[in-house]
Amino acid sequence: QSLLTQPPSASGTPGQRVTISCSGSTSYTGNFYVYWYQHLPGTAPKLLIYRNNQRPSGVPDRFSGSKSGTSASLAISGLRSEDEGDYYCVIWDDTLSGLVFGGGTKLTVL
Amino acid sequence: QVQLVQSGAEVRKPGASVKVSCKTSGYRFTSYDINWVRQATGQGLEWMGWMNPNSGNTGYAQKFQGRVTMTRNTSISTAYLEVSSLRSEDTAVYYCARVIMVRGVDYGMDVWGQGTTVTVSS
């Protein structure tokens, strides 16, 4: 049971906007930053969003992140077939002194 | 450009150990922490621990404490992950990743190795 809960799956058609949620355990106070990683089949994971809503250089602005309290969301607009893969939210847990990954959301582009 | 290149696939029997390397290039090795993350078969990504290449300090996920060792060789800019007492559940792809931390601000894991498949089977 992950301390970060994500829906196991999400889907959308090309051009659509989809959102993936990430809900923190009730034990969290909300004083944490959320990071999002994209993991496409056969590739290494890729950083999409850091510190809740910041995009690294080279990440398209189709990807955006937000956070409110202990919940966060990743939004992907203008959905493309190449976006199909797994998406993970990640936080640093001070109590565990370690990173915590959400269970991951498998995004399907219909 | 910044690269993390990992060693090749390994096959081990249950109870054995495996050591995976992560050779870095394109930046000062001692300036950024290295995380290790794995993906077991059919599972999601799982953080294993971190290492500071400058000091050699490490931090391991509770699940792996006592069974995982992270080390480095600064002369060849290479980080290592050793997992002992392997069991079938350790069959996974293991990734190293550079952590960008600047003046206490964590910018995430920006560059990843290509992954190393470790298969544990009798």
Side-chain angles (χ1 to χ4, degrees), chain B residues 25-85:
Chain B
S25 60
Y27 73 100
R28 182 179 292 179
F29 176 62
T30 52
S31 293
Y32 302 102
D33 288 358
I34 294 287
N35 275 349
W36 288 91
V37 174
R38 79 176 190 179
Q39 183 174 37
T41 308
Q43 304 296 311
L45 297 174
E46 180 177 36
W47 180 75
M48 300 182 71
W50 62 269
M51 181 191 65
N52 181 305
N54 185 45
S55 63
N57 288 345
T58 56
Y60 304 135
Q62 290 177 354
K63 173 178 178 177
F64 299 106
Q65 283 181 3
R67 219 162 57 88
V68 158
T69 306
M70 296 175 189
T71 57
R72 87 288 192 212
N73 183 332
T74 56
S75 66
I76 56 172
S77 302
T78 299
Y80 301 94
L81 168 72
E82 185 168 19
V83 184
S84 61
S85 302

Side-chain angles (χ1 to χ4, degrees), chain A residues 35 37 39 44 50-51 88 99, chain B residues 39 44 95 105-107 109 113:
Chain A
Y35 300 73
Y37 293 86
H39 193 194
Y50 65 92
R51 292 172 70 84
Y88 296 86
L99 284 181
Chain B
Q39 183 174 37
Y95 295 98
V105 177
D106 183 354
Y107 292 90
M109 295 178 278

Side-chain angles (χ1 to χ4, degrees), chain A residues 45-86:
Chain A
K46 174 186 176 182
L47 177 65
L48 283 182
I49 298 289
Y50 65 92
R51 292 172 70 84
N52 300 337
N53 54 20
Q54 302 299 302
R55 271 188 314 277
S57 174
V59 173
D61 59 7
R62 301 189 297 111
F63 296 91
S64 62
S66 64
K67 176 178 174 284
S68 177
T70 59
S71 294
S73 292
L74 173 72
I76 308 171
S77 60
L79 199 61
R80 299 181 177 183
S81 58
E82 55 261 39
D83 297 331
E84 192 164 275
D86 298 322

